Amino acid sequence: MSVALRTLLYKELLRFWKVSFQTVAAPVLTALLYLLVFAHVLDRQVEVYGGVSYTAFLVPGLVMMSLLQNAFSNSSSSLIQSKVTGNIVFVLLPPISYREFFTAYVVAAVIRGLVVGAGVWLVTLWFVDLPYAQPAWILFFALTGGALLATLGIIAGIWADKFDQLAAFQNFVVMPLTFLSGVFYSIHSLPDFWQAVSHLNPFFYMIDGFRYGFFGQSDVSPWISALVAGGSFAVLAGITLSMLSRGYKLRN
Amino acid sequence: MPSCPALIIDGVCKRFGALRALDEVSFEVEQGEFFGLLGPNGAGKTTLISCMAGLARQDSGHIRVMEHDTVSDYRAARRKLGVVPQELVFDPFFTVRETLRIQSGYFGLGRNDDWMDEILARLDLTAKADVNMRALSGGMKRRVLVAQALVHRPPVIVLDEPTAGVDVELRKGLWVFIRELNRQGHTIVLTTHYLEEAESLCSRIAMLKQGRVVALERTADLLARRVQQTLRLRLGNGASLPAEFLAIARATPDGRIELLLDSADTVADCVARLHAHGVRFDDIELDKPDLEDVFMATMQDVPA
Ligand SMILES: Nc1ncnc2c1ncn2[C@@H]1O[C@H](COP(=O)(O)OP(=O)(O)OP(=O)(O)O)[C@@H](O)[C@H]1O
Ligand SMILES: [Mg+2]
């Protein structure tokens, strides 16, 4: 790893770690509130898979949702802040290649996602005993999902010129896709039409595959989910690298 | 080995929509020069610097920094260049020292603390090294920008209005430091609206107006040739001005006479001719043009 890449990664990590109350503690608390409210209301009424309580079903979804949202948030807010304040020049002036640039922002965002996801997982250990049927899938989907959202965050951060455009991207793209991905329910409980729509949502596969790692059961095969998540990442990474190499919106 | 030019700017054009921000700009800067890039607001100075630094891409033309093309060989070109941006930007998450360490790392430098300490000392920032950027005054933030540009010891240093908002004492200190770097062989390109500063520092000057180079000369030549010299006389009692001088003469309110001469070369000749006519004067002074006169004259000469 080159010194430039290591430094950019270090800077991105330091950036969120210096305000970890807001970037780590706050999203963990939010996830905990979801858990308390939904689990309290639904635990006794809903059984999703055979032998899996609703609370247990919900926890991996919440962990993954927090991971995804925070990975997105890290790369996108770092870029938009640098652009709006103008200090983006500090990373544009040095001889950092666009691949190093991409790698640093993605890895830092994945780490933020993992830290928040792990935080949610740790606090929810209090409430449920989870099985860990296939830990390799847990890890795979955590990393791929984080990388996918980190990449989407770079695209959004580069595209947006103002904070409210980024907020719009977050509210109208990222939030609906995460909420309608089966975090709070199994899509098998949906009417056919909405099941079909859910299958078009890449977030659904990431949540479903991640959950498979815990319970060994899921709505679709983890291999299909892996293909969709990995394929989506590859497509977005290609788009992002091309944007960066052309200097789209960064070097006008 | 003959040394290559520090900077080659060759036919650079840059448009923003219908606006031609840079229109066929070409010039070279030799290694070791202290070069001034002057022009009114909106002339295109910052745009040109952005193209040099790869912050913007020219529509046509080429720029080379120490022989490295800023597009095809951008990494090598950027390594050779240190830029102090015009805008007062900073990263509010970090202290001064963190800012410098990070910037140094971006250029691939690991241990660089000795040089950073020296820069901090020279820019009078040592006491602020561990202070957060947010807590610095505007002038101090500007000095940190200078420090950031120097952290990788670039052979070519570009300063886009580095002294805006910096107090007199520090401005002097900054120039002593930059001059020293220049003496050590660093090439300096300076943009400033303080023309006395440019006059005393820069050995050569380019003036831009509306994206075009309208003057490109050694500072001394610009001062000598570009503007009329004013010879101010108080004639001895009873003397009157010979007829041949009337066309270039005008009277001042305090009863003196000003002769407008085309260049410094004609001053001696003019005085000799006056003597030949037997004219004596009580007082004589030559009003040397300064860069501001040249600047104003150049900007007026060139059609918009
Ligand atoms: N990103 C941009 N989009 C549109 N127009 C721009 C952009 N950047 C600069 N311009 C225009 O290009 C022209 C040159 O601007 P530039 O900033 O290079 O001037 P300057 O010589 O640095 O002026 P100043 O002395 O005020 O700093 C101006 O008319 C400016 O409005
Ligand atoms: Mg400018």
Side-chain angles (χ1 to χ4, degrees), chain A residues 2-20:
Chain A
S2 73
V3 177
L5 172 55
R6 218 167 0 165
T7 309
L8 188 52
L9 178 58
Y10 166 78
K11 177 230 139 189
E12 278 297 289
L13 292 174
L14 202 58
R15 196 193 73 90
F16 85 78
W17 195 246
K18 282 201 171 189
V19 285
S20 55

PDB file of all heavy atoms in Angstrom, chain A residues 2-20:
ATOM      1  N   SER A   2       0.652   2.150  -0.942  1.00  0.00           N
ATOM      2  CA  SER A   2       1.492   3.342  -1.055  1.00  0.00           C
ATOM      3  C   SER A   2       1.258   4.278   0.127  1.00  0.00           C
ATOM      4  O   SER A   2       0.227   4.222   0.791  1.00  0.00           O
ATOM      5  CB  SER A   2       1.176   4.078  -2.357  1.00  0.00           C
ATOM      6  OG  SER A   2      -0.072   4.718  -2.245  1.00  0.00           O
ATOM      7  N   VAL A   3       2.247   5.144   0.370  1.00  0.00           N
ATOM      8  CA  VAL A   3       2.131   6.114   1.462  1.00  0.00           C
ATOM      9  C   VAL A   3       0.917   7.020   1.231  1.00  0.00           C
ATOM     10  O   VAL A   3       0.165   7.331   2.149  1.00  0.00           O
ATOM     11  CB  VAL A   3       3.413   6.960   1.578  1.00  0.00           C
ATOM     12  CG1 VAL A   3       3.262   8.020   2.650  1.00  0.00           C
ATOM     13  CG2 VAL A   3       4.607   6.073   1.891  1.00  0.00           C
ATOM     14  N   ALA A   4       0.709   7.411  -0.028  1.00  0.00           N
ATOM     15  CA  ALA A   4      -0.406   8.318  -0.329  1.00  0.00           C
ATOM     16  C   ALA A   4      -1.746   7.659   0.018  1.00  0.00           C
ATOM     17  O   ALA A   4      -2.606   8.260   0.659  1.00  0.00           O
ATOM     18  CB  ALA A   4      -0.379   8.707  -1.808  1.00  0.00           C
ATOM     19  N   LEU A   5      -1.900   6.402  -0.381  1.00  0.00           N
ATOM     20  CA  LEU A   5      -3.142   5.687  -0.090  1.00  0.00           C
ATOM     21  C   LEU A   5      -3.337   5.536   1.407  1.00  0.00           C
ATOM     22  O   LEU A   5      -4.423   5.781   1.937  1.00  0.00           O
ATOM     23  CB  LEU A   5      -3.115   4.317  -0.786  1.00  0.00           C
ATOM     24  CG  LEU A   5      -4.245   3.346  -0.439  1.00  0.00           C
ATOM     25  CD1 LEU A   5      -5.602   3.969  -0.679  1.00  0.00           C
ATOM     26  CD2 LEU A   5      -4.110   2.071  -1.262  1.00  0.00           C
ATOM     27  N   ARG A   6      -2.241   5.154   2.089  1.00  0.00           N
ATOM     28  CA  ARG A   6      -2.342   4.965   3.531  1.00  0.00           C
ATOM     29  C   ARG A   6      -2.740   6.275   4.200  1.00  0.00           C
ATOM     30  O   ARG A   6      -3.564   6.304   5.109  1.00  0.00           O
ATOM     31  CB  ARG A   6      -0.989   4.494   4.070  1.00  0.00           C
ATOM     32  CG  ARG A   6      -1.126   3.467   5.158  1.00  0.00           C
ATOM     33  CD  ARG A   6       0.186   2.787   5.448  1.00  0.00           C
ATOM     34  NE  ARG A   6       1.235   3.319   4.592  1.00  0.00           N
ATOM     35  CZ  ARG A   6       2.541   3.139   4.804  1.00  0.00           C
ATOM     36  NH1 ARG A   6       2.949   2.470   5.804  1.00  0.00           N
ATOM     37  NH2 ARG A   6       3.443   3.630   3.987  1.00  0.00           N
ATOM     38  N   THR A   7      -2.164   7.371   3.753  1.00  0.00           N
ATOM     39  CA  THR A   7      -2.451   8.667   4.366  1.00  0.00           C
ATOM     40  C   THR A   7      -3.902   9.083   4.129  1.00  0.00           C
ATOM     41  O   THR A   7      -4.581   9.559   5.042  1.00  0.00           O
ATOM     42  CB  THR A   7      -1.521   9.752   3.797  1.00  0.00           C
ATOM     43  OG1 THR A   7      -0.179   9.286   3.887  1.00  0.00           O
ATOM     44  CG2 THR A   7      -1.659  11.036   4.566  1.00  0.00           C
ATOM     45  N   LEU A   8      -4.372   8.890   2.905  1.00  0.00           N
ATOM     46  CA  LEU A   8      -5.747   9.277   2.602  1.00  0.00           C
ATOM     47  C   LEU A   8      -6.731   8.418   3.417  1.00  0.00           C
ATOM     48  O   LEU A   8      -7.735   8.916   3.933  1.00  0.00           O
ATOM     49  CB  LEU A   8      -6.017   9.126   1.096  1.00  0.00           C
ATOM     50  CG  LEU A   8      -7.340   9.666   0.562  1.00  0.00           C
ATOM     51  CD1 LEU A   8      -7.568  11.110   0.990  1.00  0.00           C
ATOM     52  CD2 LEU A   8      -7.381   9.566  -0.963  1.00  0.00           C
ATOM     53  N   LEU A   9      -6.397   7.152   3.562  1.00  0.00           N
ATOM     54  CA  LEU A   9      -7.231   6.254   4.366  1.00  0.00           C
ATOM     55  C   LEU A   9      -7.230   6.705   5.830  1.00  0.00           C
ATOM     56  O   LEU A   9      -8.284   6.801   6.470  1.00  0.00           O
ATOM     57  CB  LEU A   9      -6.702   4.822   4.226  1.00  0.00           C
ATOM     58  CG  LEU A   9      -7.416   3.739   5.030  1.00  0.00           C
ATOM     59  CD1 LEU A   9      -8.895   3.689   4.662  1.00  0.00           C
ATOM     60  CD2 LEU A   9      -6.770   2.378   4.770  1.00  0.00           C
ATOM     61  N   TYR A  10      -6.036   7.002   6.329  1.00  0.00           N
ATOM     62  CA  TYR A  10      -5.890   7.459   7.708  1.00  0.00           C
ATOM     63  C   TYR A  10      -6.703   8.728   7.933  1.00  0.00           C
ATOM     64  O   TYR A  10      -7.418   8.876   8.921  1.00  0.00           O
ATOM     65  CB  TYR A  10      -4.409   7.702   7.982  1.00  0.00           C
ATOM     66  CG  TYR A  10      -4.093   8.472   9.237  1.00  0.00           C
ATOM     67  CD1 TYR A  10      -4.127   7.856  10.485  1.00  0.00           C
ATOM     68  CD2 TYR A  10      -3.751   9.823   9.165  1.00  0.00           C
ATOM     69  CE1 TYR A  10      -3.820   8.575  11.624  1.00  0.00           C
ATOM     70  CE2 TYR A  10      -3.448  10.549  10.307  1.00  0.00           C
ATOM     71  CZ  TYR A  10      -3.480   9.920  11.534  1.00  0.00           C
ATOM     72  OH  TYR A  10      -3.191  10.639  12.659  1.00  0.00           O
ATOM     73  N   LYS A  11      -6.618   9.660   6.980  1.00  0.00           N
ATOM     74  CA  LYS A  11      -7.352  10.914   7.106  1.00  0.00           C
ATOM     75  C   LYS A  11      -8.859  10.672   7.136  1.00  0.00           C
ATOM     76  O   LYS A  11      -9.580  11.246   7.946  1.00  0.00           O
ATOM     77  CB  LYS A  11      -6.986  11.838   5.945  1.00  0.00           C
ATOM     78  CG  LYS A  11      -7.744  13.144   5.921  1.00  0.00           C
ATOM     79  CD  LYS A  11      -8.335  13.400   4.581  1.00  0.00           C
ATOM     80  CE  LYS A  11      -9.706  13.948   4.624  1.00  0.00           C
ATOM     81  NZ  LYS A  11     -10.351  14.004   3.339  1.00  0.00           N
ATOM     82  N   GLU A  12      -9.326   9.773   6.268  1.00  0.00           N
ATOM     83  CA  GLU A  12     -10.758   9.485   6.227  1.00  0.00           C
ATOM     84  C   GLU A  12     -11.230   8.804   7.519  1.00  0.00           C
ATOM     85  O   GLU A  12     -12.336   9.050   7.988  1.00  0.00           O
ATOM     86  CB  GLU A  12     -11.072   8.590   5.023  1.00  0.00           C
ATOM     87  CG  GLU A  12     -11.200   9.346   3.731  1.00  0.00           C
ATOM     88  CD  GLU A  12     -12.363  10.324   3.793  1.00  0.00           C
ATOM     89  OE1 GLU A  12     -13.515   9.878   3.783  1.00  0.00           O
ATOM     90  OE2 GLU A  12     -12.111  11.539   3.879  1.00  0.00           O
ATOM     91  N   LEU A  13     -10.384   7.935   8.079  1.00  0.00           N
ATOM     92  CA  LEU A  13     -10.749   7.268   9.329  1.00  0.00           C
ATOM     93  C   LEU A  13     -10.754   8.263  10.483  1.00  0.00           C
ATOM     94  O   LEU A  13     -11.677   8.290  11.298  1.00  0.00           O
ATOM     95  CB  LEU A  13      -9.771   6.124   9.625  1.00  0.00           C
ATOM     96  CG  LEU A  13      -9.841   4.930   8.666  1.00  0.00           C
ATOM     97  CD1 LEU A  13      -8.729   3.928   8.979  1.00  0.00           C
ATOM     98  CD2 LEU A  13     -11.201   4.239   8.754  1.00  0.00           C
ATOM     99  N   LEU A  14      -9.709   9.100  10.531  1.00  0.00           N
ATOM    100  CA  LEU A  14      -9.601  10.089  11.592  1.00  0.00           C
ATOM    101  C   LEU A  14     -10.800  11.032  11.566  1.00  0.00           C
ATOM    102  O   LEU A  14     -11.328  11.429  12.595  1.00  0.00           O
ATOM    103  CB  LEU A  14      -8.301  10.875  11.392  1.00  0.00           C
ATOM    104  CG  LEU A  14      -7.707  11.582  12.598  1.00  0.00           C
ATOM    105  CD1 LEU A  14      -7.436  10.595  13.709  1.00  0.00           C
ATOM    106  CD2 LEU A  14      -6.416  12.304  12.207  1.00  0.00           C
ATOM    107  N   ARG A  15     -11.233  11.352  10.356  1.00  0.00           N
ATOM    108  CA  ARG A  15     -12.346  12.279  10.178  1.00  0.00           C
ATOM    109  C   ARG A  15     -13.598  11.791  10.900  1.00  0.00           C
ATOM    110  O   ARG A  15     -14.237  12.541  11.625  1.00  0.00           O
ATOM    111  CB  ARG A  15     -12.639  12.446   8.686  1.00  0.00           C
ATOM    112  CG  ARG A  15     -13.499  13.623   8.312  1.00  0.00           C
ATOM    113  CD  ARG A  15     -13.980  13.489   6.885  1.00  0.00           C
ATOM    114  NE  ARG A  15     -14.992  12.463   6.780  1.00  0.00           N
ATOM    115  CZ  ARG A  15     -16.287  12.682   6.911  1.00  0.00           C
ATOM    116  NH1 ARG A  15     -16.724  13.879   7.116  1.00  0.00           N
ATOM    117  NH2 ARG A  15     -17.141  11.681   6.830  1.00  0.00           N
ATOM    118  N   PHE A  16     -13.958  10.518  10.708  1.00  0.00           N
ATOM    119  CA  PHE A  16     -15.182  10.095  11.398  1.00  0.00           C
ATOM    120  C   PHE A  16     -14.912   9.725  12.852  1.00  0.00           C
ATOM    121  O   PHE A  16     -15.763   9.897  13.712  1.00  0.00           O
ATOM    122  CB  PHE A  16     -15.929   8.984  10.624  1.00  0.00           C
ATOM    123  CG  PHE A  16     -15.481   7.563  10.873  1.00  0.00           C
ATOM    124  CD1 PHE A  16     -15.861   6.878  12.030  1.00  0.00           C
ATOM    125  CD2 PHE A  16     -14.735   6.893   9.918  1.00  0.00           C
ATOM    126  CE1 PHE A  16     -15.480   5.561  12.240  1.00  0.00           C
ATOM    127  CE2 PHE A  16     -14.346   5.578  10.119  1.00  0.00           C
ATOM    128  CZ  PHE A  16     -14.702   4.912  11.277  1.00  0.00           C
ATOM    129  N   TRP A  17     -13.678   9.273  13.117  1.00  0.00           N
ATOM    130  CA  TRP A  17     -13.399   8.856  14.486  1.00  0.00           C
ATOM    131  C   TRP A  17     -13.379  10.043  15.437  1.00  0.00           C
ATOM    132  O   TRP A  17     -13.775   9.941  16.594  1.00  0.00           O
ATOM    133  CB  TRP A  17     -12.083   8.074  14.546  1.00  0.00           C
ATOM    134  CG  TRP A  17     -11.967   7.334  15.835  1.00  0.00           C
ATOM    135  CD1 TRP A  17     -11.070   7.555  16.831  1.00  0.00           C
ATOM    136  CD2 TRP A  17     -12.833   6.280  16.290  1.00  0.00           C
ATOM    137  NE1 TRP A  17     -11.305   6.703  17.879  1.00  0.00           N
ATOM    138  CE2 TRP A  17     -12.385   5.915  17.581  1.00  0.00           C
ATOM    139  CE3 TRP A  17     -13.941   5.613  15.739  1.00  0.00           C
ATOM    140  CZ2 TRP A  17     -13.008   4.899  18.324  1.00  0.00           C
ATOM    141  CZ3 TRP A  17     -14.556   4.612  16.484  1.00  0.00           C
ATOM    142  CH2 TRP A  17     -14.088   4.273  17.748  1.00  0.00           C
ATOM    143  N   LYS A  18     -12.955  11.212  14.943  1.00  0.00           N
ATOM    144  CA  LYS A  18     -12.918  12.401  15.796  1.00  0.00           C
ATOM    145  C   LYS A  18     -14.318  12.849  16.204  1.00  0.00           C
ATOM    146  O   LYS A  18     -14.471  13.581  17.168  1.00  0.00           O
ATOM    147  CB  LYS A  18     -12.208  13.550  15.073  1.00  0.00           C
ATOM    148  CG  LYS A  18     -10.703  13.413  15.096  1.00  0.00           C
ATOM    149  CD  LYS A  18     -10.028  14.751  14.849  1.00  0.00           C
ATOM    150  CE  LYS A  18      -8.533  14.632  15.091  1.00  0.00           C
ATOM    151  NZ  LYS A  18      -7.857  15.935  15.079  1.00  0.00           N
ATOM    152  N   VAL A  19     -15.310  12.458  15.430  1.00  0.00           N
ATOM    153  CA  VAL A  19     -16.690  12.811  15.805  1.00  0.00           C
ATOM    154  C   VAL A  19     -17.506  11.534  15.967  1.00  0.00           C
ATOM    155  O   VAL A  19     -18.639  11.437  15.511  1.00  0.00           O
ATOM    156  CB  VAL A  19     -17.337  13.762  14.768  1.00  0.00           C
ATOM    157  CG1 VAL A  19     -16.782  15.160  14.900  1.00  0.00           C
ATOM    158  CG2 VAL A  19     -17.130  13.254  13.354  1.00  0.00           C
ATOM    159  N   SER A  20     -16.902  10.545  16.655  1.00  0.00           N
ATOM    160  CA  SER A  20     -17.518   9.216  16.696  1.00  0.00           C
ATOM    161  C   SER A  20     -18.835   9.202  17.468  1.00  0.00           C
ATOM    162  O   SER A  20     -19.662   8.319  17.280  1.00  0.00           O
ATOM    163  CB  SER A  20     -16.548   8.194  17.285  1.00  0.00           C
ATOM    164  OG  SER A  20     -16.112   8.643  18.541  1.00  0.00           O
TER     165      SER A  20
END
